[in-house]
Each structure stands twice: as C-alpha cells, then as structure tokens.
Amino acid sequence: MAKYLISGGNSLCGEIDVQGAKNSVLPLLSAAILTADDVIIQNAPKLTDVTNMMRILRALGAVAEREGSLVRVSAKDISSHEIPVSLAKELRSSIFLLGSVLARVKKAKVAYPGGCDIGLRPIDLHLKALREMGVEIREEGGYVYCDASGAEPSYVTLDYPSVGATENAMLLATSIDGVTSIANCAEEPEIEDLQNFINAMGGCVSGAGTPFIKIKGGLPLKGTVFSTMPDRIEAGTYLLGTLACGGDVTLKGAKAEHLSAVISKFSKWDCKINANSDRIHISSNGNMGELGVIETKPYPGFPTDLQAEICTLASISKGSTIIVENLFETRFKHVPELIKMGANVKVRDRVAVFNGVDRLSGAKVYAKDLRGGAALILAGLCAKGDTEVNDVHFVERGYEDIVAKLTRLGANIKKA
Ligand code: EPZ
C-alpha cells in the first residue's frame, strides 16, 4: 500500500490552485444523466472518487470520459437501472445516483450501502424522502428496489438536513411535472452548485443555500458546460496546515464565505487571514493560540470534514480544546494515530479533549479514512522528525496532487 514520507518542520510558502469540489462534482456527475445531450463538467478534480463515479455512469450505459480537467458525459441511453454493487461499495456517495436514475428511467436497484469508516451512513432519510414523493420502495436481500412511475409533485420534509438526501430529492423532482418542495434541506454550498447546474440544463430550481428548496419539474433538460465550485474542504485543509506549520500561503479560487465558521476560530490568533472574492491569504508565524470548544454542525456550522484536520491543530494549541463530532458516530479514528505522535487527548463517544503539547514527534501512522489521513499529513508536516503516513489511498480519494501541491509550498514530502 502506498505511503507518504514526511520530514517535518518546514513552513509553507507560496500559492496553490484550489481543486474543484469533490462533494460537488460527484452529484453533478449524477445529474449529468438527467439529459440525453452531452454535458461537460469543467474543473473536475482528478480523484479516485471521481474515477469511480465515472465507472458507475459507464455501467449504466452512459459515456463518461476525462479530457484533462474536464469530464464529458453523454447519457443518450441509460441501458441499466442497476447501480453495480462492487462500485457502490467503493463509493458510498453513489447513493445519490438513485434520484437521477429514477428521474431518467423511473426505476432503480441499488445494494444497501453498508457502514463505512466514519459511521453507519444509513439511507433512511433518502428513502423516506423518495417515498414522500410517491416512489414505491422495496428493501429485500440487501437491495433497494425503487419504482418512480407513480411519483408526484410533493411537499417533502427531511427529518435531518442530509446533504445526500437533499440531492436525491432534487434530482428526482426535476422529472416530476409540477412543483416539488423540500423543507429542512441541507444548505451546503454544494447544494447551490447542483441547483445552478440543473438550471444551466434548463431546469427551474430555487432556494438552495436556505432550508427550503423548490423544484419545478417536468421541463426538458439539455446539455450544458458547467464549472465545478472550488473545494472548500481542500482549501480549509491547506489553511489549517499553514497555521500548524507557519508560513505565507495564498489559496487561489477559495471562497472565504464557504469557510467562515473555520476562519472565525482564529480571530484571536497571532496570524493574518484575509480574502477577496476568489482567494484566501494566510500568514502565520506558527504561534498557536487557543481553540476553545469546536462543535461540528451542518453548514454553515463548523464542517465535520475539517474535524480531523483541526484535531491536529488542537494537539499543539495552547491550553485545552474540546472537539464535539455531532454528525458521524466514529469519526475520531485519527486520534490514536495522533497519540502515537505525542498528542495528549482523551476521547469519550463523540467528544475529544486535547491538552496542547509544544510539538508533535514524527512516527509511523496509518490513515483510516479520507479526512483523518489529511490530518496525519498535517501532523507530519509540523512534527519534529520524520513521519510515515500509510494507506494514503484514502487521502487520494479527495485531495488532487497533494504531494505536488505541498512540495510546491516547501514541504518535505515524498510518495513511496
Ligand atoms: C456528505 O455526505 C459529504 N459527502 C460528506 O463528506 C460530509 O461529511 C457530509 O455530507 C456532511 O456534510 C458527499 O457530499 C459526497 P449526510 P452525506 O447525509 O450526504 C445521517 C468527505 O469527507 N444520515 O448529510 O452522506 C448520517 O449518518 C465526506 O468529503 C442518516 O441518518 O452526509 C450523518 O450522521 C464524508 N440517514 C448525517 O446524517 C440518511 O439517510 C449527515 O449525513 C442519511 C444521512
């Protein structure tokens, strides 16, 4: 299995181009099969999750080809309504292909996705929303069989603002004549990107970014060329890395408004974080401040996808830091690895309490999931001595060219 070898202690200086958002391009690829016309998605990051999603589109009968930083999708015919089990297991978020397959061919079959590295990842909210839209759903033998031939314009209320369930309901609603409303929906920026994409295809969606979305369905959807929004979690990861290591970094393409809950944590730190419409600049002398209490919440709250990374900062921040993970059941698997590097932390259920130490020490550690792996890389970059981060395939699911980007910023990191 691949690993990264890191020699810690270098500050990070320079600028990087923020990748297209993983958590936007995946639903956009799903939405691309809503039309039989050609669709071009620009700024599509080169990630294993994207490659796997393209494989699933091809298994459904679509053409999905990468041409540099763009992906071209042509779903003239959808020859299968079954999302392949092996690929669905590889990519849990393939579940929101349900909405677009049902929109296109009115039926779908998907294996019930099992739990994964960060929690149970149930799909009850997805199924409840689809049922409220009139979809007939049978769960049998580990499979979910859906029939949307009787789907009608509906008023759907989500019990929890699930990102994926919001996206599935939006995708299906585009095919239902009349107005479908979704209340208590997710407000993430990626939902707005999906709304803008569907509208660029000739759809009529409004309200994304608020708890209430309306979709006027039944409109003919045509091909489009669309550029994916910047990845706020990648940008946040490099922002936190610069604070941990010290340095002066510009994140080109990043939108500060997508990271306001994160940036506000550093208002009292001895660092400068400023931004204009399409970049964030961070300069830090590496002096750590206090973090206090951090609770992950749905957007616009502190993002769960930066919880692992801020654990690395909490390991070396002044005083005690309390981190509460409110979204996923088991998203502290990076903590035992940070302890190997000298972190002083206790975890009970969804709460981690850190007592900051002066500096972490290099060690041999193992990534257990995507964001936990990123946290260990940040730890290696700021630690004393050498760190070996193993199982980096997790990291390469979500971070394009991370070794090249960090090397360009002055880090001493190599892939082995
Ligand atoms: C999306 O996952 C993201 N993935 C996740 O990013 C992100 O952590 C998450 O939203 C929250 O922001 C993609 O967009 C591809 P949810 P999703 O449905 O849609 C529970 C990363 O690292 N829930 O909003 O699966 C669920 O268990 C990944 O980039 C149900 O109970 O998240 C979780 O506790 C990780 N029943 C909470 O809701 C359901 O039917 C939030 O899940 C669905 C979800």
Side-chain angles (χ1 to χ4, degrees):
M1 292 291 222
K3 57 190 168 187
Y4 294 157
L5 306 175
I6 302 169
S7 188
N10 295 7
S11 55
L12 301 180
C13 295
E15 58 181 45
I16 62 153
D17 291 315
V18 173
Q19 72 190 32
K22 168 181 85 75
N23 292 346
S24 179
V25 73
L26 293 173
L28 297 187
L29 285 166
S30 171
I33 67 169
L34 292 173
T35 175
D37 293 353
D38 287 4
V39 168
I40 290 178
I41 298 173
Q42 298 170 321
N43 200 22
K46 294 178 182 130
L47 304 168
T48 43
D49 274 9
V50 175
T51 305
N52 282 329
M53 182 60 108
M54 290 167 65
R55 281 202 193 109
I56 297 174
L57 295 187
R58 287 197 284 270
L60 294 170
V63 172
E65 283 152 357
R66 177 175 283 280
E67 295 163 20
S69 66
L70 69 82
V71 171
R72 184 187 302 273
V73 178
S74 169
K76 282 188 179 40
D77 310 296
I78 292 294
S79 52
S80 164
H81 66 275
E82 183 169 346
I83 298 162
V85 181
S86 57
L87 289 173
K89 294 283 181 208
E90 275 289 299
L91 181 64
R92 282 194 45 77
S93 40
S94 55
I95 189 67
F96 44 63
L97 267 163
L98 255 188
S100 46
V101 171
L102 287 172
R104 193 67 196 272
V105 296
K106 304 300 172 217
K107 58 183 183 175
K109 177 184 173 189
V110 64
Y112 203 99
C116 67
D117 26 50
I118 60 175
L120 296 170
R121 309 298 292 276
I123 59 168
D124 57 310
L125 298 174
H126 295 248
L127 303 185
K128 181 171 179 286
L130 295 177
R131 283 188 169 109
E132 286 182 16
M133 297 170 76
V135 176
E136 298 275 314
I137 296 177
R138 183 165 51 84
E139 298 170 68
E140 198 178 296
Y143 283 91
V144 179
Y145 299 83
C146 300
D147 178 344
S149 51
E152 296 175 334
S154 315
Y155 189 100
V156 177
T157 302
L158 295 179
D159 295 343
Y160 177 90
S162 154
V163 171
T166 302
E167 289 163 345
N168 255 332
M170 286 168 76
L171 291 164
L172 173 59
T174 61
S175 69
I176 302 170
D177 257 328
V179 175
T180 295
S181 303
I182 311 169
N184 193 34
C185 57
E187 302 174 43
E188 273 68 5
E190 291 76 19
I191 305 283
E192 276 185 85
D193 225 27
L194 179 60
Q195 168 180 285
N196 297 338
F197 180 77
I198 293 169
N199 290 345
M201 294 167 81
C204 181
V205 184
S206 59
T210 77
F212 191 82
I213 291 176
K214 275 171 95 167
I215 304 102
K216 187 173 182 315
L219 303 175
L221 298 180
K222 56 191 189 317
T224 188
V225 178
F226 188 85
S227 185
T228 314
M229 64 174 268
D231 192 315
R232 60 194 169 94
I233 304 303
E234 187 207 31
T237 302
Y238 284 92
L239 184 149
L240 297 176
T242 308
L243 293 169
C245 300
D248 188 296
V249 170
T250 299
L251 305 170
K252 288 166 66 185
K255 291 190 177 308
E257 69 266 26
H258 290 167
L259 286 165
S260 50
V262 179
I263 292 170
S264 67
K265 292 295 170 193
F266 305 103
S267 54
K268 296 194 180 63
W269 280 38
D270 181 12
C271 65
K272 274 207 287 309
I273 303 176
N274 43 53
N276 59 27
S277 60
D278 69 347
R279 63 193 58 211
I280 298 176
H281 175 249
I282 311 109
S283 67
S284 155
N285 53 19
N287 290 343
M288 309 309 273
E290 297 204 354
L291 281 171
V293 181
I294 291 173
E295 289 219 45
T296 63
K297 293 197 178 79
Y299 193 88
F302 191 96
T304 175
D305 295 343
L306 287 173
Q307 177 261 97
E309 299 89 328
I310 203 141
C311 280
T312 297
L313 265 73
S315 305
I316 52 175
S317 296
K318 277 205 185 72
S320 297
T321 304
I322 297 173
I323 295 181
V324 185
E325 171 51 63
N326 288 311
L327 275 80
F328 291 105
E329 300 88 348
T330 52
R331 204 170 195 178
F332 281 128
K333 291 186 177 165
H334 46 282
V335 170
E337 303 302 306
L338 289 172
I339 290 172
K340 286 182 193 170
M341 299 179 72
N344 178 349
V345 48
K346 293 264 182 303
V347 172
R348 177 66 54 83
D349 297 332
R350 296 189 182 211
V351 180
V353 181
F354 288 82
N355 288 305
V357 298
D358 284 346
R359 197 161 178 207
L360 295 174
S361 305
K364 182 175 182 179
V365 292
Y366 291 81
K368 306 291 184 193
D369 56 60
L370 164 57
R371 306 303 175 182
L376 297 176
I377 292 168
L378 300 190
L381 293 173
C382 66
K384 184 159 53 34
D386 296 339
T387 297
E388 185 182 294
V389 181
N390 291 279
D391 297 338
V392 291
H393 60 279
F394 285 114
V395 177
E396 292 174 354
R397 284 187 43 216
Y399 290 90
E400 183 182 61
D401 294 340
I402 187 165
V403 171
K405 287 187 175 183
L406 285 171
T407 303
R408 251 201 317 280
L409 294 177
N412 184 336
I413 179 172
K414 295 206 176 10
K415 183 168 183 175

